[in-house]
Amino acid sequence: MIAASQQDWKTAHKLLDAGAAVDLGDKNGFTPAMAAAMHADLKMFGLLLTRSTNLEPEKPCADGQDLLSFALDGGDPEIIEAVEQRLPILSEWTTSTRRALSRALQAGKNDEIRLLLSKHSAPPTPEGKSVPFLAYAIASSNVSLFNTLLNCGADPNTLLPSHCDKDFLALLPNGLRSYIQEDRNVTMLMLAAGLGQVDYLRTLIDGGANRTRLTTRNKMSALDVAAETGHWRSAQILLGGGPAPENLRIEISLPMQSVALVRDGVPIYHARCSTGRAGYSTKRGEFVITNKERKHRSTIYHVEMPYFMRLSCLDFGMHAGYVPNHPASHGCIRLPEDTARKFFSEIPVGTLVTVQ
């Protein structure tokens, strides 16, 4: 050990030839392999590896540094790679593996990034943070980091921690921030959906992200998050599709109590409707049809709602019902039965519905 730490490689060679124990460290746990890595002596490091029977590259010495840390200090890329390849599967990222990942990300070394990700069962986080790099990439619109991580094997079903870092939460709009702070097991897909990041959504889905997974407390899916935060384009993607609004959409006018079916920018069908009366105002905004039920019964008002078309997973939708010449519903959009039947049969799930 003394010979290695003093770079007396000639003596070290003799000791190795005499059968010295190469894995034995000093009183602080500093080993010959650490000395060779620190001094970037590739030849001696390789010799030590061939004689080693119990390398334990993850084991730190007294000052907290491990073999990878010394290899990074030495800077020899072959030694660094050799140490990384010999790492066991780690449950958490260490200071040295985070440092190695940051170095590989900066240098664009995808093979090394892939190797480091494969050596950990937990997603990588910045030093001192609990939120994964992948979440920071989505929230800060860092396309390069996002694509690199996913292409190198980051899990598209990565979860946010129970308590997120303040700087991460500051990147989020108020509505989404509240959902994330109040719930548990929020996925990257939910995060992207709530931010309206449609390109990230598509990439995560293509990479195998689970669309049906629910949060622990509020039982929210990514589609629910997209709907609640008003991102209808995200909702369409999570539904698996829907017509482009310029090709097909439904427009509901609250002042006129009317509904129009618009195809290719031209209204092709008009009908009366009845929306929420005083105290039960119909929500305004842009929504998508998220599901349809031929025979639906309200669990709140215990009435039949034939040809029900729910809007953005919310507690209202369009359905057949009594249509006077004024707002009369509890918030839904009542349609004449022939109109409801026509929309139910002809308008696909995912179609945009504007209420204004």
Side-chain angles (χ1 to χ4, degrees), residues 68-301:
L68 180 57
S69 178
F70 287 111
L72 291 167
D73 288 342
D76 186 285
E78 291 187 50
I79 294 177
I80 293 169
E81 182 182 358
V83 175
E84 290 171 346
Q85 287 176 342
R86 286 164 174 78
L87 287 171
I89 301 300
L90 303 170
S91 60
E92 300 292 339
W93 287 74
T94 66
T95 298
S96 63
T97 56
R98 280 196 183 93
R99 183 179 162 198
L101 180 65
S102 295
R103 170 184 168 276
L105 286 169
Q106 290 172 2
K109 295 183 176 181
N110 286 4
D111 288 342
E112 186 176 358
I113 296 167
R114 191 174 290 109
L115 174 61
L116 287 164
L117 291 177
S118 73
K119 293 292 185 177
H120 295 81
S121 57
T125 62
E127 185 69 41
K129 305 293 183 182
S130 61
V131 172
F133 269 119
L134 190 59
Y136 274 103
I138 294 170
S140 62
S141 298
N142 189 332
V143 178
S144 176
L145 178 59
F146 174 79
N147 287 333
T148 296
L149 289 170
L150 280 185
N151 290 337
C152 291
D155 183 3
N157 291 301
T158 294
L159 301 176
L160 286 176
S162 299
H163 301 286
C164 293
D165 304 293
K166 290 183 178 179
D167 64 329
F168 170 77
L169 292 172
L171 297 170
L172 309 178
N174 289 335
L176 180 60
R177 187 186 309 143
S178 298
Y179 283 121
I180 287 174
Q181 288 178 303
E182 294 168 4
D183 218 329
R184 295 292 180 269
N185 285 344
V186 175
T187 67
M188 296 300 99
L189 201 63
M190 296 169 191
L191 175 63
L195 289 169
Q197 298 275 26
V198 294
D199 290 337
Y200 292 167
L201 267 182
R202 291 190 182 98
T203 303
L204 287 165
I205 291 169
D206 289 345
N210 186 344
R211 293 188 233 195
T212 61
R213 187 166 186 163
L214 302 179
T215 59
T216 302
R217 289 186 176 175
N218 298 322
K219 307 302 179 185
M220 300 272 283
S221 67
L223 177 59
D224 293 320
V225 174
E228 290 281 353
T229 52
H231 295 294
W232 64 266
R233 288 184 178 84
S234 295
Q236 276 193 334
I237 293 169
L238 290 162
L239 285 166
E246 58 269 23
N247 296 335
L248 184 69
R249 67 181 183 274
I250 293 173
E251 295 180 350
I252 293 167
S253 171
L254 298 177
M256 301 297 294
Q257 291 292 281
S258 66
V259 57
L261 177 61
V262 181
R263 190 184 297 277
D264 298 327
V266 179
I268 60 170
Y269 181 89
H270 292 86
R272 292 182 300 113
C273 69
S274 179
T275 58
R277 65 177 185 261
Y280 298 92
S281 298
T282 298
K283 296 178 178 71
R284 297 171 182 261
E286 296 178 318
F287 310 93
V288 292
I289 298 173
T290 46
N291 67 289
K292 298 193 276 186
E293 290 182 67
R294 170 63 183 83
K295 295 179 180 180
H296 177 75
R297 182 176 176 81
S298 169
T299 57
I300 300 174
Y301 301 109

Side-chain angles (χ1 to χ4, degrees), residues 3-4 8-23 32-37 40-55 67 78-79 82 86:
D8 183 355
W9 305 124
K10 185 177 180 180
T11 301
H13 271 286
K14 289 181 179 178
L15 290 169
L16 288 174
D17 291 340
V22 302
D23 296 315
M34 290 176 177
D41 191 306
L42 179 60
K43 184 177 179 180
M44 176 54 68
F45 186 80
L47 182 60
L48 290 167
L49 284 185
T50 61
R51 303 290 180 90
S52 174
T53 58
N54 189 29
L55 185 64
L67 181 57
E78 291 187 50
I79 294 177
R86 286 164 174 78

